[in-house]
Amino acid sequence: MLGEWLDPIERGLDALGGWMVEADFGLGLLLVVGVSMSLSHVFALLANRLTTRQILWRLSLDALMLAVAFLLTSSIDMVLLRLYGSNPVHPSAFVDGIATCLLPACFYLAVAAPYIGETIGLVIWVMMHLNVITFVHVRFGLSWDQSVILCTPGYVLAVVLVGLLFRQSWQRSYAMLASELGVP
């Protein structure tokens, strides 16, 4: 009974994985994801009354740092696949596929929405992880459990790196605003 219910879901995920294997967005999408994620902080930067130049500088720096964080975590996934997977892959082909998996993060700007922003962020992170698992499953012909095990360390590192970067950025922004308001 449960197998009949899961078969259409598995076929849909396999079709999604096939599309991700064929799509060729390249490294540029990593930068677009970084920009989208950094734009979620634009309201805090505006609240600090920063100039347009300062805002653009911080957004650019955050976008580059986020792109590097995702490139690093993709490298971890690639190394784990090379060590434990069955088929070797060229790094550029792997990063192109992983960049496609991060497509939901292009909507990370919605995380700045009041009240539901954290829920939107959680859904985006879950979708990205599911996309990476699906891509690895389809591209390398691994079982679902192997795909989950091989992709989770990179995902955890991405969550930690982005959390640390955002925490540092938010703390800096709030400290600047508090100093302007005279709050100790």
Side-chain angles (χ1 to χ4, degrees):
M1 180 73 176
L2 184 60
E4 293 172 12
W5 185 73
L6 291 177
D7 284 341
I9 293 173
E10 187 172 351
R11 281 194 305 275
L13 288 174
D14 286 341
L16 174 66
W19 175 81
M20 286 188 282
V21 168
E22 297 299 320
D24 186 19
F25 290 114
L27 290 174
L29 188 60
L30 287 177
L31 189 58
V32 170
V33 167
V35 167
S36 175
M37 292 181 88
S38 66
L39 281 174
S40 66
H41 294 282
V42 76
F43 301 113
L45 296 173
L46 288 170
N48 283 314
R49 292 181 226 112
L50 297 177
T51 66
T52 304
R53 184 177 175 182
Q54 290 172 319
I55 290 173
L56 289 174
W57 175 252
R58 288 192 182 200
L59 290 178
S60 300
L61 187 61
D62 280 350
L64 287 173
M65 294 299 294
L66 287 165
V68 167
F70 282 120
L71 191 59
L72 176 67
T73 58
S74 297
S75 299
I76 289 173
D77 288 344
M78 187 176 58
V79 167
L80 288 174
L81 266 169
R82 188 170 290 269
L83 291 174
Y84 300 106
S86 57
N87 300 333
V89 64
H90 193 272
S92 65
F94 184 79
V95 171
D96 282 348
I98 291 298
T100 306
C101 297
L102 301 178
L103 211 52
C106 290
F107 302 102
Y108 206 82
L109 176 62
V111 171
Y115 307 114
I116 61 168
E118 290 179 15
T119 305
I120 293 171
L122 178 67
V123 168
I124 288 173
W125 277 100
V126 169
M127 287 174 61
M128 287 190 307
H129 188 50
L130 181 60
N131 283 346
V132 172
I133 291 169
T134 303
F135 171 75
V136 169
H137 167 72
V138 170
R139 171 67 172 84
F140 300 102
L142 298 174
S143 66
W144 286 105
D145 56 341
Q146 287 176 322
S147 298
V148 169
I149 290 170
L150 290 177
C151 295
T152 300
Y155 174 76
V156 169
L157 182 64
V159 169
V160 169
L161 287 175
V162 170
L164 288 174
L165 180 65
F166 279 1
R167 181 174 176 250
Q168 187 268 343
S169 177
W170 278 105
Q171 283 181 340
R172 185 177 59 224
S173 296
Y174 285 128
M176 185 183 300
L177 184 61
S179 69
E180 284 183 10
L181 296 176
V183 177

